[in-house]
Structure formats: C-alpha cells, structure tokens
Amino acid sequence: MIPFLNLLPTYEASRSAIDAALLRVAASGWYLLGDELRAFEADYAAACGASHCAGLANGLDALQLALKALGVGPGDEVIVPSNTYIATWLAVSLCGATPVPVEPDPATYNLDPARIEAAITPRTRVLLPVHLYGQPADMDAVNAIAAKHGLAVLDDCAQAHAASYKGRPVGSLARISAWSFYPGKNLGAMGDGGATTTSDAALDDRVRMLRNYGSRVKYQNELKGINSRLDEIQAAILAVKLRDLKRATAERRSIAARFLAGLRDLPLGLPHVPDWVNPCWHLFVVRHADRDAFQRRLTERGIGTLIHYPVPPHRQPAYADMRLAEGTFPIAEAMHREVLSLPLWPGMTNAHVETVIDAVRACA
Ligand SMILES: *Cc1c(COP(=O)(O)O)cnc(C)c1O
C-alpha cells in the first residue's frame, strides 16, 4: 500500500525541534501575536524575497484579506482561473465582488495570458493567477497586462512554496501574494494557517489591521476587520519546518524527475514544465482519457491517488447563481474529467517510487 500522502516523514525529519517548539510555546504563557509569529513572519518574508509577511488563520482568509487590502468590494470584478480550487473564487465572493473565470493554457494548466484581456471590463480590479500544482504561472505576462490596464495582481501561492519563476521566488512576483499552510501543503502546519507576503508596506499594514478586527491599536478599530491570526504554536512549528523546506522540496523534485523519466511513452498526459519555471511539485498530475477506470485499477494495486479537482468551481452548486452551463469552460471541464494526482511526498523511498511507476505502467 502506498498512500496518496503521508505527513509523518516530514515530522520525523524535524521531530525534536518541533516537539521543543510546542513545549516552549506552551510554557511561555503567550499564545497569539507574539514573538513566535514575528520570528516566523521575518523568516518567511526573507524566504519569499518579500519585505513583509503577515501570518493569518488560513489560506482562504489570506486571499480574502489581500483582496480587501487592495480595496476590492461589491461591484468589482476579479479575474480568476476557471480550473482552480474553489477557495480562489470564494475569496472574491466573500468580498462581495464577482469572480470572472479565464481558461488555462492546456499545457501548463495555469492562467493563459492570451485570454486575459478579453475578460477585462471597466469593473475589473485585480488579476488573480494561481500557481497550480506548484508550477508558477507566467507572471511577467500577467504583470504586463495588469500594468497596461492599471490593475493589481494578487497570486494564489497555496500550492507553490519554494517554487521559482525565472530565478525569482514565488511570493515576490505580484503586488501581494496569498499562502496557505494547511497540513497537506508543501509547508504545512499542524492545523490551519496562512499568510500574505508583499513588499508594499501600506498593503501589509492593511492586512495586519484586517486580521485583528481592523485594529492597529487595541480598541481603536479603523477598518471592518475579521479575526484571522496565525497562532504562536503554528508559527513556531512552521519556523522549524521552513528550515527543512529546501531539502523537502529537493526530494519532491527528484521524485518528480523519476516519474517523468519512468512514465514516458504511455497513453498518459505528463506535466509540461517550461524551462523558465522551477516547480515545487505540490502535486504530480497526469491525464488519462478513461481516468476513473485508471484510478480504480491503481486503487486495486494499492496505489493511493486523488483528483484535483473532480468538479470545476463554475459547476459547483455554490456557483449555480452564475448560470455557467456545462460547456462554458471546455478546457477546465476536460481537465476535471481527466486529471489524476499520483502519490508524491518527502520520505517516499526508492522502492515506493518504483512501485508507483510499475503500477502506472501496468494500469495506464
Ligand atoms: C489550499 C488552497 C487554498 C485554501 O487554503 P486553506 O488554508 O485551506 O484555506 C486556496 N487556494 C488554493 C489553490 C489551494 O490549494
């Protein structure tokens, strides 16, 4: 049996430091907005090549507060990928704004810059690309379109910790970037967590107020904020795991390279990696024309897989009000019918990798 994901090896790699951090916070008597958070924020901003990081309760809040800090509200439109995880759209909706889907490049699965301008209207405020599966979107092209039309860029980095684009780290590529530290992400907490990174001090200041009831000084509320703080225990855990992130990412890259070499010449769509990106391989996603049968055969051989994602946001009941019928976004719809994510996690042994390759070769 090879599970789709096993988080224990990453814990074991830093076990004594994580355990010490847990006990240190417990004994400190201070559990929110303290030294652990400040230390992690400084480390994470530096890792992202940004000057500021604000720790938040989860990735959905990070997206929502980044949009609010950019001034997005009712009546505004935000351009989002048609094929993302629904949280990207929900963040826009939570601001009272409208997500405007744009189809991906079918080769990279990321927002297709050539399709963006047709979706821009006088109400468009923000372009919101997602670095899906850990592969950076074409940010130079996205930023050029934003500059031409006077729009802001927020990137959804929830799947892209330690990935880079043309040698620049993800987290430094947009006006503001939103992160998730959900346990299954490449940098994962032991619970929920999120953050924004930016080099715009005013935007960072707004996110910090919004995460704490719109307040900079206790009992002075300048904005209608929410409560969304990365707690001291999660910040302390993340600071330890951040020190291991380069090693863990290198392991993911070596597993992905072995998959790419071992799965050629099959009736299977493999990830396409342009030479200007260095993905962090949050997911290794293949495509199969008869995906559900392919997944069943792998399950029977003990290989855990998942589908990211089975239903595109515009076909979810939550977005029925947008009346976007089947066929509106054919590239996203075909992806959702055909994609399958293989097991890829730090700590997989050579034998695990070989077993997955052999099983895929037999089942494809
Ligand atoms: C995980 C994820 C989110 C949401 O993050 P949470 O911390 O789970 O709220 C948003 N966008 C993408 C692309 C994600 O993968």
Side-chain angles (χ1 to χ4, degrees):
M1 273 298 295
I2 299 179
F4 174 72
L5 183 59
N6 179 5
L7 299 177
L8 282 177
T10 309
Y11 168 54
E12 292 296 345
S14 307
R15 183 171 190 152
S16 57
I18 290 174
D19 291 358
L22 291 169
L23 294 175
R24 181 177 70 240
V25 177
S28 74
W30 191 277
Y31 307 116
L32 281 171
L33 299 178
D35 292 342
E36 302 286 349
L37 179 63
R38 280 186 286 275
F40 172 69
E41 287 175 339
D43 290 352
Y44 200 61
C48 293
S51 31
H52 307 277
C53 168
L56 304 166
N58 56 67
L60 176 59
D61 283 357
L63 288 162
Q64 185 197 341
L65 296 191
L67 288 166
K68 287 201 167 134
L70 289 167
V72 171
D76 293 335
E77 292 177 357
V78 175
I79 291 185
V80 295
S82 55
N83 62 318
T84 182
Y85 180 55
I86 196 168
T88 317
W89 288 41
L90 290 173
V92 176
S93 303
L94 286 166
C95 294
T98 304
V100 175
V102 166
E103 288 262 79
D105 175 337
T108 63
Y109 304 142
N110 277 325
L111 203 55
D112 184 351
R115 297 171 185 268
I116 292 175
E117 284 193 291
I120 293 175
T121 77
R123 291 171 178 267
T124 309
R125 297 288 306 277
V126 174
L127 306 183
L128 206 180
V130 178
H131 309 298
L132 200 69
Y133 308 148
Q135 173 161 310
D138 188 358
M139 293 301 285
D140 282 351
V142 172
N143 283 320
I145 295 165
K148 179 175 160 194
H149 294 270
L151 307 173
V153 179
L154 154 67
D155 53 351
D156 180 337
C157 307
Q159 304 187 357
H161 313 79
S164 64
Y165 170 82
K166 301 184 182 175
R168 284 131 62 196
V170 168
S172 68
L173 305 171
R175 270 279 293 287
I176 183 164
S177 301
W179 299 89
S180 164
F181 305 121
Y182 175 81
K185 307 296 190 190
N186 286 25
L187 179 60
M190 293 180 165
D192 277 311
T196 54
T197 51
T198 181
S199 291
D200 180 328
L203 268 183
D204 177 66
D205 188 52
R206 285 174 73 82
V207 171
R208 281 168 189 283
M209 281 196 276
L210 288 166
R211 77 176 174 186
N212 195 32
Y213 310 107
S215 167
R216 204 184 331 240
V217 176
K218 208 168 173 77
Y219 305 128
Q220 286 181 30
N221 302 83
E222 298 174 45
L223 302 170
K224 292 189 185 72
I226 63 172
N227 174 356
S228 179
R229 302 172 297 214
L230 183 65
D231 67 65
E232 291 286 282
I233 287 184
Q234 299 305 338
I237 293 165
L238 288 166
V240 173
K241 291 181 89 176
L242 179 58
R243 287 182 239 136
D244 186 43
L245 183 62
K246 270 206 180 103
R247 184 205 59 81
T249 304
E251 220 180 304
R252 288 177 181 272
R253 286 176 178 148
S254 119
I255 296 166
R258 275 182 283 164
F259 281 167
L260 285 171
L263 301 178
R264 274 179 312 195
D265 317 317
L266 295 174
L268 201 65
L270 291 180
H272 167 74
V273 184
D275 56 15
W276 34 264
V277 295
N278 194 0
C280 64
W281 297 101
H282 174 56
L283 298 171
F284 192 96
V285 176
V286 298
R287 279 177 88 140
H288 194 282
D290 192 4
R291 187 262 321 273
D292 293 344
F294 175 48
Q295 182 180 35
R296 259 195 312 277
R297 291 193 291 273
L298 286 169
T299 307
E300 282 160 14
R301 291 178 69 116
I303 309 295
T305 57
L306 284 179
I307 297 167
H308 297 92
Y309 297 90
V311 180
H314 73 281
R315 299 300 297 148
Q316 292 285 359
Y319 281 103
D321 57 338
M322 286 180 72
R323 298 180 187 286
L324 298 167
E326 185 80 32
T328 316
F329 298 109
I331 298 175
E333 290 165 18
M335 271 187 67
H336 289 78
R337 275 193 303 275
E338 297 176 0
V339 294
L340 189 68
S341 306
L342 303 181
L344 193 168
W345 32 272
M348 276 178 90
T349 61
N350 287 334
H352 285 144
V353 175
E354 291 310 316
T355 304
V356 172
I357 290 172
D358 290 347
V360 171
R361 296 198 71 85
C363 296

